[in-house]
Amino acid sequence: MASKKSDDKPKVPIQPVPEKRGYEFQGPIGAFGIIFGLPVLIYAFTFLCNDISGCPAPSLLYPSTFSIDKLKQEVGWPQDGNRAFYDTRVTQWVLSYYLLSLFLQVFLPGTEVEGTELACGGRLKYKFNAFLSAALILSGCAVGTYLNGADFVVWTFLWDNYVQVITANLIICTVIAFFVYVRSFSVPAPGQLNPELRQLAPGGHTGNALYDFFIGRELNPRIELPIPFVSKTARTIDIKSWCEMRPGLLGWIILNLSNIAHQYRTHGYITDSIVFATVFQAFYVLDGLYMEPALLTTMDIIMDGFGFMLSFGDLVWVPFLYNFQTRYLSVYPYELGLSGILIVLAVTAVGYSIFRGANNQKNRFRTNPDDPRVKHIKYIKTATGSKLMTSGWWGCARHINYLGDWIMSWSYCLPTGIAGYAIIESISPSSGEIHRQAVQTPEARGWGMVFTYFYMIYFGVLLIHRERRDEEKCKRKYGADWDRYTSLVRSRIIPGIY
């Protein structure tokens, strides 16, 4: 009897020997380039497509007469560079936004969900309420806009301090990346007890400090806040999932709304293009927040460590690159018209149908294969016990959801049309005041697409890279079963093409 009782006791997980993988992103050299290059790119976009001289800055269109001094004048390069890039007051307000998001994570009601099984045998618990948090914050912004209109302080603050807000988020994401990197060295060694279910990411412990800081050493870094009378799950913050689903994604919507307010303050009206771009992007974000538990089956959570790559991507790259279309439209108020609206709507509908249909099908099949909506799905069973779908959406292509995701990205860029404008100054005959207007000149037409369509191109490259990583992981995991699966589902992303 004693031995039986002993067997019935829950076992404390033991830290396994961490899996090791080779370099990605061209190793340390690629990590160095991304860490220092992508922040520069964010700032470059902000200056080179501007509301002072045009999009792009005119000097870029005439290489034979190009000069740095002239370009600085055209982009409004600040005389006091340090102060113009960083402001303590702005950073404090940005931090208050993060603290508000953290507060709502802990104290708002939410759904508790278990993650996928870890290598040590356990499952982490998550509390999800990102959609409710976003609804509350956006409702507050709606009330502020109702009372103050386009001059609501959040909208003017974000536009007037845009560069300093970028810097504040860059500082925050870097500090978080350093924190999780240093803390990752306290992960239990192989063979030790591991009650907190901490483990290193397969590709994050190469021994090269720069690369590991970039890619992320720990798989699921977490902190437990010392808050009394709150459940352990509620006060435990999973840093990776929190960064991925909260400040940056919601910040993307808020920046878009700030851009709409700026268009109204400047021109006295709001165009259909900026409304459609904002609505489509907000729908994408809010849909993701509403379906938050589906995050736990993504590659970011299951495979990737949390380092500078994800920290920067979540908190800087997403909000400040992805809002660029509406920022452009806030300066150049382009009208889509009925035909343009119908094209954008059709593209969005196709992309969303593929994206959400495929992801819902996968999630239902994994959680409840007997669900009538997926019971008909054909599959092969692997030696590991996993089931790989060979019909339905996933019988069309092995990463069919990526195709839908990419098609949806078109609808963010198409509302900007054939982008490009120059700022023309004129003097009012009656008042003598100088008026500045964005006009699409023949020289600028089309060149603005370098900025407004960059997201679509970048996102396509990102998805192909992610697909290659996932294929490599699956080949390693399933072996011969993966060869059998790929012989049945031949296409990677685009059925019959790629």
Side-chain angles (χ1 to χ4, degrees):
M1 290 294 292
S3 60
K4 184 178 180 182
K5 287 182 179 179
S6 176
D7 292 340
D8 289 341
K9 290 181 180 179
K11 296 179 180 179
V12 178
I14 303 297
Q15 184 69 272
V17 176
E19 180 185 350
K20 296 200 76 167
R21 294 181 190 158
Y23 287 137
E24 296 183 74
F25 301 98
Q26 306 303 313
I29 294 176
F32 178 87
I34 293 173
I35 290 172
F36 294 100
L38 291 191
V40 171
L41 184 64
I42 292 290
Y43 286 118
F45 266 50
T46 303
F47 283 108
L48 296 179
C49 181
N50 60 72
D51 60 347
I52 298 171
S53 61
C55 179
S59 288
L60 300 179
L61 300 175
Y62 303 99
S64 61
T65 60
F66 176 84
S67 72
I68 293 296
D69 290 337
K70 187 177 181 182
L71 181 63
K72 284 184 175 180
Q73 184 180 356
E74 291 174 349
V75 303
W77 189 260
Q79 297 296 322
D80 185 358
N82 293 334
R83 190 169 182 178
F85 279 87
Y86 172 80
D87 185 280
T88 300
R89 180 184 64 88
V90 172
T91 302
Q92 289 171 342
W93 279 113
V94 173
L95 276 171
S96 70
Y97 165 69
Y98 278 76
L99 291 174
L100 173 62
S101 180
L102 196 63
F103 177 88
L104 296 177
Q105 159 80 36
V106 174
F107 291 102
L108 283 181
T111 304
E112 293 190 5
V113 181
E114 282 192 340
T116 57
E117 189 168 356
L118 300 169
C120 61
R123 296 174 184 265
L124 294 171
K125 292 184 178 180
Y126 297 79
K127 177 186 175 183
F128 289 139
N129 60 13
F131 182 82
L132 181 59
S133 298
L136 193 61
I137 292 174
L138 292 175
S139 296
C141 291
V143 172
T145 305
Y146 176 78
L147 296 174
N148 300 282
D151 293 317
F152 177 45
V153 64
V154 172
W155 310 144
T156 56
F157 173 84
L158 289 173
W159 185 271
D160 295 341
N161 302 282
Y162 188 75
V163 173
Q164 295 92 333
V165 173
I166 292 175
T167 303
N169 282 275
L170 182 58
I171 292 171
I172 292 169
C173 84
T174 305
V175 169
I176 292 175
F178 270 114
F179 171 76
V180 296
Y181 175 75
V182 172
R183 191 170 179 271
S184 70
F185 289 94
S186 63
V187 170
Q192 292 185 349
L193 296 180
N194 187 24
E196 295 180 346
L197 305 180
R198 298 178 65 193
Q199 62 185 66
L200 298 179
H205 52 103
T206 65
N208 183 284
L210 177 66
Y211 180 82
D212 291 348
F213 164 76
F214 163 73
I215 206 74
R217 290 191 85 245
E218 189 169 356
L219 184 63
N220 298 296
R222 297 181 145 212
I223 54 172
E224 187 174 329
L225 302 176
I227 303 175
F229 312 115
V230 175
S231 71
K232 180 179 175 63
T233 303
R235 67 174 184 267
T236 299
I237 306 300
D238 186 275
I239 298 174
K240 180 162 60 172
S241 64
W242 185 81
C243 286
E244 185 142 343
M245 299 303 291
R246 288 174 177 272
L249 277 180
L250 182 59
W252 176 11
I253 297 180
I254 292 173
L255 285 168
N256 280 341
L257 296 175
S258 172
N259 296 336
I260 290 179
H262 178 78
Q263 187 187 75
Y264 186 80
R265 288 196 307 273
T266 305
H267 303 283
Y269 59 90
I270 297 172
T271 58
D272 54 14
S273 58
I274 200 170
V275 169
F276 271 86
T278 300
V279 167
F280 293 145
Q281 293 176 19
F283 180 77
Y284 176 82
V285 171
L286 294 175
D287 178 70
L289 299 183
Y290 185 77
M291 304 294 292
E292 192 177 14
L295 175 73
L296 299 181
T297 60
T298 62
M299 189 169 64
D300 287 356
I301 298 297
I302 295 173
M303 286 180 57
D304 295 338
F306 185 79
F308 182 85
M309 180 181 73
L310 287 181
S311 181
F312 173 82
D314 294 339
L315 307 180
V316 180
W317 187 256
V318 166
F320 295 101
L321 182 75
Y322 291 14
N323 91 100
F324 207 83
Q325 289 81 23
T326 60
R327 187 170 176 83
Y328 168 90
L329 292 168
S330 71
V331 179
Y332 181 71
Y334 176 70
E335 292 283 0
L336 283 172
L338 180 60
S339 59
I341 290 172
L342 292 177
I343 290 172
V344 175
L345 283 174
V347 168
T348 304
V350 170
Y352 182 76
S353 297
I354 297 172
F355 174 77
R356 182 49 61 201
N359 281 340
N360 281 349
Q361 192 176 77
K362 178 180 70 173
N363 197 45
R364 288 171 185 144
F365 186 79
R366 285 184 174 180
T367 55
N368 181 18
D370 295 325
D371 188 315
R373 290 168 292 187
V374 294
K375 196 172 182 180
H376 65 284
I377 295 293
K378 296 178 182 178
Y379 62 88
I380 64 170
K381 192 167 185 178
T382 68
T384 64
S386 299
K387 297 176 181 178
L388 303 176
M389 293 182 282
T390 58
S391 67
W393 282 113
W394 300 91
C396 298
R398 303 195 291 270
H399 302 275
I400 190 68
N401 57 327
Y402 290 178
L403 175 62
D405 213 357
W406 186 56
I407 291 175
M408 279 194 292
S409 75
W410 302 2
S411 65
Y412 308 159
C413 305
L414 289 174
T416 65
I418 309 300
Y421 61 79
I423 301 295
I424 306 298
E425 292 185 349
S426 60
I427 300 176
S428 172
S430 57
S431 64
E433 294 180 354
I434 297 176
H435 294 280
R436 304 170 69 252
Q437 184 179 5
V439 177
Q440 188 165 79
T441 61
E443 295 81 8
R445 179 178 168 82
W447 288 105
M449 296 173 72
V450 171
F451 303 95
T452 62
Y453 285 75
F454 174 83
Y455 168 71
M456 189 176 82
I457 298 169
Y458 148 77
F459 196 51
V461 174
L462 173 72
L463 291 175
I464 290 174
H465 179 264
R466 183 174 292 180
E467 172 263 323
R468 294 294 177 90
R469 295 175 66 208
D470 198 33
E471 290 274 324
E472 182 184 343
K473 180 204 77 169
C474 292
K475 173 65 176 175
R476 190 166 47 243
K477 180 178 179 180
Y478 300 120
D481 288 324
W482 185 251
D483 294 332
R484 183 160 58 101
Y485 168 68
T486 56
S487 69
L488 295 173
V489 184
R490 295 181 175 275
S491 298
R492 294 169 177 261
I493 297 177
I494 306 175
I497 298 175
Y498 173 77

